Amino acid sequence: MKKSGNFFSALKKNLEKTAWAASVVPYALGAIFILYAVLGGGESAYLVCGLIMICAAVFVQIGGTITNMFPGPHSDFVTDYDRHVIGKAFLTGNKRYMFYSALCELHKGDINDALDTFRELKNQGLTETEQGVLGFFTAVCYNRMGYPTNAGHCAAIAVDKDICRTEALLMAARSFSMAGSFSESAEYYERLVPIAESEGMFPFIYNEMGRMYLTANKPANSRIYFEKAVEYGLDPITAQGGLALVNLLEGKEDEACEMYRLALIARIGDADGYKEYCAQICTANGYPENFFEEHLKARYCREEAKR
C-alpha cells in the first residue's frame, strides 16, 4: 500500500513537472484521431494511430515516474557541486538509493535523518571512493549540527581518499580549529597552503591561519601568516588587526595599540566582531577586556598634557 502511494505521489509530481504541451498534446491528438475514426467514418488506421499515441504517452509518463522514484545524479536536488564531489561513486544498488535519499534529506534541511542514513551506509561494502564521498557529506552534516570534532574526522577521511582534496582539507582545518584541536587544524592548514598558493585559491587562508595560531597562543606562527597577507595584499586590514594582537601577546603594547587604532580607522570588516575577539584574547592573556581603549585613552591624555 505504501509503495502504491509512493507511485501515485511520484506520478502527480511528474505530471506537475512535465511541460503542458508535452503532457497534453499526445492525449488530445490521440483522442481526435479516435473520435474521427468512430464518429466521422474515418479509416481504422486513424483509430490505431490514436490508440498508439495515447498508449505511448501513458508509458512515457509511467516510465518517467518510476525513474523519479529512485533518486540519482540527475535528480532536481543534486547540484553541480554535488556531482563534482560524487563523481562516479554510488552508481548502482541499494547503496545508491540510500546515498541519494540521504542527500535529498540534507538539502531539505533534515540533517538528523540524513546523518542517520549516512551512518547506515557505512556498512554497505563501500569502495574507497565511496568512503571518501560519504566522509565529505557526513562532515557537512556534523558541521551544520555544531559538532566540529566529528566533522573534522569525517573530512579527514575525504582527504585520505582524495575526494575534493582542497575543499576537504579546508573543511578539516576549519572544523578542528573550531573544536579547539589546534595541532590537527594546523596540520591540515599547512597541507593546504602549497595547494592554495600554486592554484591561486583561498585568498583568505593566511588570515585564517594567523587567527588560528593566535587563538592557539602561538604568536610567532601567527605573525608569519598575517605578514604574508599584508605582503600579498590579501585583506591587509584584517591582517593588521591580527598583528595588533600578535604584538600584544609578544609584550609590545604600544605597537599593538597603534595597529589596533589603524585597523579601526581603516574600517576593518565587522568592527564589532573584531573588538569582541580582541577582548577575548586580552582576557585570556591577563589583560583587561577593554585594554586597547584604555591604553589609547591614556596615551591621548599624555599627549594632551604635553601641549
Side-chain angles (χ1 to χ4, degrees):
M1 190 70 181
K2 183 177 180 181
K3 289 184 178 179
S4 175
N6 288 343
F7 173 78
F8 287 109
S9 175
L11 178 60
K12 179 176 180 292
K13 180 180 178 182
N14 195 34
L15 286 167
E16 289 172 348
K17 287 167 51 182
T18 306
W20 181 87
S23 59
V24 174
V25 170
Y27 296 111
L29 288 176
I32 290 171
F33 282 139
I34 292 171
L35 287 173
Y36 179 72
V38 174
L39 302 178
E43 298 179 4
S44 61
Y46 285 100
L47 179 62
V48 173
C49 286
L51 290 172
I52 289 174
M53 290 186 71
I54 291 176
C55 289
V58 168
F59 282 123
V60 169
Q61 206 76 57
I62 292 175
T65 299
I66 293 173
T67 300
N68 284 336
M69 289 178 69
F70 300 95
H74 301 293
S75 299
D76 289 344
F77 60 83
V78 182
T79 66
D80 289 339
Y81 184 72
D82 291 334
R83 297 185 185 97
H84 168 66
V85 176
I86 298 165
K88 297 186 181 300
F90 300 106
L91 292 176
T92 60
N94 185 55
K95 59 185 179 181
R96 173 182 181 272
Y97 177 78
M98 289 178 68
F99 174 79
Y100 282 104
S101 296
L103 186 61
C104 179
E105 298 295 336
L106 174 61
H107 283 303
K108 289 193 301 183
D110 298 330
I111 311 300
N112 283 316
D113 291 340
L115 187 57
D116 287 343
T117 305
F118 282 144
R119 284 170 175 163
E120 293 176 18
L121 194 53
K122 290 173 64 177
N123 303 317
Q124 297 297 312
L126 305 183
T127 65
E128 292 283 307
T129 299
E130 288 169 346
Q131 290 173 30
V133 172
L134 181 63
F136 190 95
F137 285 104
T138 305
V140 172
C141 286
Y142 277 125
N143 266 324
R144 292 187 184 179
M145 295 175 71
Y147 298 116
T149 300
N150 296 26
H153 288 298
C154 291
I157 294 173
V159 172
D160 292 342
K161 306 301 182 184
D162 205 24
I163 299 299
C164 285
R165 190 171 183 78
T166 51
E167 292 92 338
L169 280 167
L170 181 62
M171 183 157 51
R174 284 178 166 177
S175 298
F176 283 126
S177 179
M178 286 189 289
S181 302
F182 299 117
S183 59
E184 289 90 344
S185 177
E187 175 191 342
Y188 286 100
Y189 270 128
E190 296 289 356
R191 290 169 65 180
L192 180 59
V193 165
I195 301 173
E197 289 178 338
S198 63
E199 298 182 12
M201 301 174 68
F202 308 143
F204 50 78
I205 191 170
Y206 296 128
N207 281 332
E208 274 198 16
M209 292 184 70
R211 178 164 179 161
M212 183 274 295
Y213 278 121
L214 190 62
T215 307
N217 201 27
K218 294 185 176 180
N221 299 73
S222 181
R223 179 179 291 280
I224 292 170
Y225 291 103
F226 280 135
E227 288 183 345
K228 279 190 176 184
V230 173
E231 179 184 352
Y232 298 140
L234 301 173
D235 195 2
I237 297 172
T238 296
Q240 287 178 347
L243 286 169
L245 289 166
V246 170
N247 283 325
L248 181 65
L249 296 188
E250 292 178 342
K252 303 171 184 175
E253 296 179 358
D254 289 336
E255 293 92 330
C257 288
E258 180 61 15
M259 296 196 82
Y260 174 85
R261 184 181 71 86
L262 292 174
L264 291 179
I265 289 174
R267 296 187 178 182
I268 189 171
D270 186 16
D272 290 338
Y274 173 63
K275 289 179 180 179
E276 183 179 342
Y277 180 63
C278 287
Q280 292 172 1
I281 295 295
C282 286
T283 54
N285 288 274
Y287 290 94
E289 64 176 20
N290 60 343
F291 167 79
F292 285 106
E293 287 79 4
E294 292 299 320
H295 193 92
L296 288 170
K297 187 185 298 183
R299 190 181 76 176
Y300 176 78
C301 291
R302 288 195 302 269
E303 290 174 354
E304 281 294 305
K306 290 179 182 179
R307 292 177 182 175

